Amino acid sequence: AVACAVCSASASLVMLNSTATDRTLVGFGGLSGGGATSRLLPSYDDDTKAEILDYLFKPNYGASLHILKVEIGGDAQSTDGTEPSHQHTEDDLNCDRGYEWYLLKEAKARNPDILTYGLSWAWPAWTGNFTDSPWNAPAKAANYTLNWLRCARDSHSLDIDYVGSWNERSYSADYLKLLRRELDSNGFPSTRIVAPDSNWDIAGEMLTDPELMDAVDIVGAHYPGMTSSSDAIKTGKLLAASEDDSTFGDNIGTGCWARLLNRNWVQGRMSATIMWNLLASYYPGLPWMGTSFMWATQPWSGHYQVKSAVYVTAHWTQFTRPGWSYLAVDSTGGSGFFAKGGTYASLVENADGTGHFSVVMEKIHHDRSKCVRPGLPEYSVEQESVTFRLTGPAAATAAAQGKLALWTSVLRYNGQESTLFEQQAPIPVARAPDGSVNFTVTVPVDGVFTVSTMLTGPAKGGVAMPPSAAPFPVPYSDDFNDYPLHSEPSYFADQAGSWEVLDSRDPAHGLAMRQMVPQKPICWAGDYAPVSVFGETTWTDVNHSVDFMIDPESSATAAASIGARVTGTTRPNGVFVSVGLDGTWTAYYNLGDGKSAAQGKLPVDVKPSQWHNLALAVTGNLASAWLDGIALFENMDVSTCNCPSGWTAVGTGWTYEFVWFDNYAVNSAT
Ligand code: 147
Ligand code: CA
């Protein structure tokens, strides 16, 4: 142990040598997508959207994120829904679909230095030459990815910093090398590749394949459990937890996150950590609800929630910047473990140790920092007085200022109030005879503290509480006539397939929403047939109707469907009825099991290009459905559905078809 001259005998001594610079900080960020996790955000009013985006992205305000990672929409289910592709088909190109462009631009508007990163979960079928993998047609897949970057640059003035390959699926060295060459020869030399967005295994191949080594700039692994591999470290590349957390956003989730933010560096030498997901703006009832910095699930009420992770993240993001250098994990470096548990990680502005200096400490109790995955080995923490001995250029900076900023958070549980990102009186500092600067801090259990030379700048922003939560407004109707072309109409949460607003060319209908995906994509989750859900997962008794038109480009198996009490994503349960070009109707309770509950002949012919109306009402155990006002069945017992409540839904039957919907009306829902 090092002798402690200036501190009390009971304090531990920690050395912070600001010349012991190590790897570069990439940054701390959030992930929108993988998938459809920001789906409801665009439907909020503009002022509320601005408030939410400020909490996430505005510098010196809230989470002040360094990195925004987004999904490159692939027309297939990617956890909480589908995100639309910029190329549904090889001939198609549209640079305005979805909400990720919006989010990227809003993030950049608040912080021009925010780093941006795109990654595919699913791919349109054509990108893999209609096989099950994009790696079967690397040239097509690379051009598809390049087109997304061109959309970003040419339509949205966004220079994307990082691009990945295929989320948590196989990587292809051929693809990664080709992508690097294509990026370089097509005007994207500064867009860097992160791979493989799964585990560390690619590192071994990088060590034996120089071209692959050159192609990959950052080795990114998911849920790495704070550890990387020796091969990954041997590559010399920056390492990232390019997706992490996924833990429900209460204070335990925030504890998980705080632990990761320090220990991904201290234990695994990762210099980026990205939370899945950025914003819980998807319907409660979908998978992984609320594993996010904030919740925004009610555009109709304006209600949203700011979680403790927003301000805890500020301890890192507001006191460091991408490009700063970590101090080494070493007893004479500047990052490591405290004697009584917990960690500290130091960063300096410049690689020579000059400029600003910050040290972030966390002492979250093991049981209150568990993430959803992977398991967390036992450790213990105790309150501890720590004397830090700062040396090198940062000591001179601190001494010249005469003080260091101290900001604290202490997470509390069981209804007790936490302190979140509170500015304390600065710590007075002076040079010791040996030139060092010494300061003592008592770090409590469940505390997150930052000490920094940044005396000004960081701030705790926020606005008054938003309105309270309220039920979805019923009756509700939408004629889709007031949306931009190619946009997604409010509240429809596509779970397979992808709908967008287009001109129906029928003056009686004007704009309507059309299912756009021509065949099953290269899926990430195993989609079945297009289906989009709507409303509240708590709805039991509903009466709703929709106009539909089967597009003349559809196949003979095309159908239009409507559902109630729907739960699930790719193969949902619920009470569904489909009417098809084959002249029959079918009632069924699961989209994927191939079973029908009842069938019959249609009372009127359904032909392509004709508009019809389909209505479904479910009350108690009884369901009724109508086509153009004529009953298909009435008061049918649906108790064997085992679907007590859920969203409403529309769909295209059992195959990928182009089906239009208009005048959607929820007449009643409770
Ligand atoms: C990740 C996905 O990349 C995200 O889109 C989202 O689904 C997230 C939810 O936690 O999970 O996928 C994973 C799925 C399983 C594991 C890791 C990541 N796993 O079992 O280790
Ligand atoms: Ca219309």
Side-chain angles (χ1 to χ4, degrees):
V2 193
C4 185
V6 297
C7 49
S8 77
S10 60
S12 323
L13 180 66
V14 161
M15 309 300 284
L16 304 174
N17 175 1
S18 58
T19 63
T21 52
D22 196 333
R23 290 170 178 245
T24 305
L25 174 69
V26 180
F28 308 102
L31 170 45
S32 169
T37 53
S38 304
R39 174 67 185 95
L40 298 170
L41 179 66
S43 301
Y44 276 83
D45 69 63
D46 288 347
D47 290 347
T48 310
K49 275 188 279 208
E51 291 175 14
I52 294 168
L53 295 163
D54 282 351
Y55 280 111
L56 294 171
F57 299 119
K58 194 171 163 178
N60 294 326
Y61 188 86
S64 307
L65 297 174
H66 294 164
I67 304 169
L68 172 57
K69 178 176 178 179
V70 301
E71 177 175 348
I72 300 175
D75 286 341
Q77 176 63 237
S78 50
T79 298
D80 291 293
T82 71
E83 298 198 22
S85 171
H86 55 291
Q87 294 191 273
H88 296 311
T89 62
E90 193 163 7
D91 306 335
D92 172 49
L93 179 65
N94 180 286
C95 297
D96 291 314
R97 294 189 183 117
Y99 31 84
E100 304 299 1
W101 302 123
Y102 162 79
L103 216 47
L104 287 164
K105 285 186 285 191
E106 292 294 328
K108 277 276 180 196
R110 284 166 177 77
N111 175 9
D113 295 327
I114 196 167
L115 297 167
T116 55
Y117 174 0
L119 174 65
S120 290
W121 266 248
W123 303 71
W126 68 267
T127 62
N129 240 345
F130 308 97
T131 64
D132 62 0
S133 168
W135 312 149
N136 291 323
K140 286 192 183 199
N143 195 41
Y144 172 78
T145 300
L146 245 64
N147 284 339
W148 186 84
L149 294 167
R150 291 185 181 109
C151 280
R153 184 188 61 196
D154 302 339
S155 298
H156 303 287
S157 302
L158 289 163
D159 288 318
I160 302 293
D161 296 288
Y162 299 106
V163 66
S165 61
W166 192 7
N167 183 63
E168 294 178 357
R169 296 294 177 264
S170 62
Y171 70 87
S172 156
D174 287 345
Y175 172 79
L176 292 168
K177 293 184 227 176
L178 176 64
L179 180 64
R180 182 67 267 158
R181 293 194 298 271
E182 294 286 314
L183 290 168
D184 289 339
S185 57
N186 286 279
F188 298 99
S190 54
T191 299
R192 319 310 302 173
I193 294 176
V194 182
D197 275 301
S198 60
N199 56 35
W200 301 113
D201 292 353
I202 195 173
E205 194 172 351
M206 287 169 69
L207 291 168
T208 58
D209 181 339
E211 195 187 344
L212 182 63
M213 182 70 114
D214 281 350
V216 175
D217 270 86
I218 295 181
V219 186
H222 290 190
Y223 306 89
M226 307 176 287
T227 56
S228 51
S229 69
S230 53
D231 275 356
I233 290 178
K234 231 182 274 168
T235 64
K237 300 285 180 174
L238 293 178
L239 309 179
S242 53
E243 186 188 312
D244 214 334
D245 193 277
S246 271
T247 302
F248 186 78
D250 57 15
N251 281 357
I252 293 178
T254 298
C256 147
W257 177 238
R259 170 173 58 79
L260 296 175
L261 288 179
N262 254 17
R263 297 188 190 209
N264 278 344
W265 168 250
V266 170
Q267 293 184 227
R269 304 301 185 275
M270 287 164 267
S271 57
T273 299
I274 298 176
M275 182 191 287
W276 191 88
N277 58 61
L278 176 75
L279 176 67
S281 201
Y282 43 101
Y283 285 132
L286 287 169
W288 303 98
M289 181 58 213
T291 68
S292 324
F293 294 103
M294 296 177 67
W295 297 25
T297 64
Q298 292 210 324
W300 54 86
S301 71
H303 180 70
Y304 64 85
Q305 295 178 37
V306 182
K307 297 298 180 181
S308 56
V310 164
Y311 292 118
V312 165
T313 305
H315 281 276
W316 283 264
T317 52
Q318 293 199 21
F319 286 97
T320 69
R321 294 290 181 272
W324 284 30
S325 298
Y326 270 110
L327 298 187
V329 182
D330 188 287
S331 59
T332 59
S335 305
F337 290 90
F338 290 123
K340 295 182 178 171
T343 62
Y344 60 98
S346 299
L347 291 116
V348 288
E349 188 173 357
N350 303 312
D352 64 359
T354 61
H356 276 299
F357 156 86
S358 300
V359 55
V360 193
M361 322 158 198
E362 63 78 25
K363 235 182 210 289
I364 315 286
H365 189 280
H366 172 273
D367 298 352
R368 296 187 287 273
S369 80
K370 282 186 183 164
C371 304
V372 68
R373 69 172 86 90
L376 181 62
E378 282 299 332
Y379 64 80
S380 60
V381 290
E382 265 177 64
Q383 176 163 309
E384 183 174 3
S385 286
V386 183
T387 295
F388 292 91
R389 178 165 299 163
L390 178 62
T391 58
T397 308
Q401 295 187 164
K403 52 193 172 180
L404 285 165
L406 170 65
W407 290 66
T408 62
S409 293
V410 183
L411 293 168
R412 288 287 173 246
Y413 303 82
N414 305 320
Q416 295 176 53
E417 212 175 322
S418 302
T419 38
L420 293 174
F421 201 52
E422 285 192 355
Q423 183 170 19
Q424 308 298 333
I427 307 170
V429 290
R431 288 263 206 182
D434 66 357
S436 69
V437 155
N438 296 261
F439 57 94
T440 301
V441 176
T442 300
V443 192
V445 172
D446 299 323
V448 176
F449 282 23
T450 304
V451 172
S452 173
T453 57
M454 295 173 79
L455 298 172
T456 58
K460 185 175 180 178
V463 292
M465 293 259 289
S468 329
F472 188 93
V474 173
Y476 177 92
S477 66
D478 196 345
D479 64 13
F480 307 114
N481 292 342
D482 297 322
Y483 293 99
L485 292 179
H486 300 285
S487 67
E488 300 169 288
S490 285
Y491 307 132
F492 281 93
D494 304 347
Q495 299 304 316
S498 179
W499 275 263
E500 61 195 57
V501 173
L502 285 176
D503 185 353
S504 71
R505 297 181 191 216
D506 178 336
H509 286 274
L511 304 190
M513 63 183 237
R514 181 184 190 261
Q515 202 294 114
M516 302 301 291
V517 181
Q519 71 254 86
K520 192 186 284 200
I522 299 168
C523 291
W524 186 77
D527 305 27
Y528 197 73
V531 61
S532 187
V533 303
F534 183 100
E536 298 220 51
T537 187
T538 53
W539 282 350
T540 54
D541 293 354
V542 299
N543 177 319
H544 66 140
S545 75
V546 69
D547 294 342
F548 72 88
M549 184 259 279
I550 295 178
D551 192 283
E553 286 182 42
S554 282
S555 77
T557 59
S561 38
I562 187 169
R565 297 185 182 174
V566 175
T567 54
T569 56
T570 49
R571 300 186 181 202
N573 290 310
V575 176
F576 293 94
V577 57
S578 286
V579 297
L581 293 178
D582 66 357
T584 64
W585 61 264
T586 307
Y588 51 101
Y589 300 148
N590 181 283
L591 183 59
D593 70 5
K595 294 181 190 158
S596 79
Q599 281 180 306
K601 286 218 174 328
L602 293 180
V604 292
D605 276 347
V606 169
K607 295 223 171 75
S609 304
Q610 293 176 349
W611 284 95
H612 295 275
N613 179 271
L614 187 57
L616 173 66
V618 187
T619 309
N621 285 330
L622 302 177
S624 305
W626 298 267
L627 177 63
D628 297 336
I630 307 168
L632 300 176
F633 53 84
E634 278 183 300
N635 297 324
M636 185 168 83
D637 187 324
V638 293
S639 48
T640 56
C641 176
N642 291 319
C643 49
S645 67
W647 303 289
T648 59
V650 297
T652 72
W654 299 269
T655 46
Y656 278 79
E657 306 291 348
F658 307 115
V659 181
W660 297 74
F661 293 93
D662 196 14
N663 298 324
Y664 182 63
V666 180
N667 304 310
S668 63
T670 51

